[in-house]
Amino acid sequence: MTIGRTQGVALQGLLGSVIDIECDIADGIPMYSLLGLPDASLQESRDRVRAALTNTGQKWPNKKVTVSLSPAWIPKSGPGFDCAIALAILIADGTIAQEPLADVVVLGELALDGKVRAVRGVLPALIAAYKSGIRRAIVPAANRAEAQLMSAMEVLTFATLHEVVVWARTGTTPQVQEDRKSVV
């Protein structure tokens, strides 16, 4: 197995820090460890991510899953790391390739059915990512209007984890939300 890597942003007020998310899947007693000073809502990501993966047709590895959020000394809070954690797990498991997610910041909470829910602080998160040299982002479709204010970045928006996985495999992006609503 390989190590899956993605990036997210930890916000402290309006200031953000890019966080490296690494996942290792190893033989051993099946368990999930989340390292790097996560708060209680982030600790709960295990159950949201597991349900979202299985309910979108992906498999949860029946092995020892270790997820590290670094730098470890920065406090991390909220469910906004869910999508990035899920993608790191899929990369580590060999389900998707690392390359499409290299130098991409990923934001989004996962619903149990695999929908990517809106998160707070998208604009400050994108500004922090841009200042760190990142030029591409994945954000929830519900945060599209806020994310488009950061015109210096390429922002991809997705409504479901399944759409993100399809994009990572094929490069195909879904139509924008306004296009999905057709008048009959």
Side-chain angles (χ1 to χ4, degrees), residues 72-134:
W73 59 272
I74 296 175
K76 291 117 192 135
S77 62
F81 291 96
D82 289 359
C83 193
I85 291 171
L87 294 171
I89 290 170
L90 292 174
I91 293 166
D93 198 39
T95 304
I96 60 176
Q98 177 67 64
E99 196 229 310
L101 290 155
D103 298 319
V104 176
V105 71
V106 180
L107 308 173
E109 175 183 355
L110 291 176
L112 300 182
D113 64 358
K115 289 183 180 140
V116 181
R117 291 185 173 155
V119 293
R120 294 180 180 179
V122 168
L123 186 56
L126 294 179
I127 291 170
Y130 184 81
K131 286 180 178 179
S132 294
I134 297 171

Side-chain angles (χ1 to χ4, degrees), residues 105-108 116-117 119 122 126 137-144 147-148 155-159 164:
V105 71
V106 180
L107 308 173
V116 181
R117 291 185 173 155
V119 293
V122 168
L126 294 179
I138 292 174
V139 301
N143 290 115
R144 177 179 288 111
Q148 288 176 337
V155 178
L156 305 169
T157 59
F158 297 96
V164 181

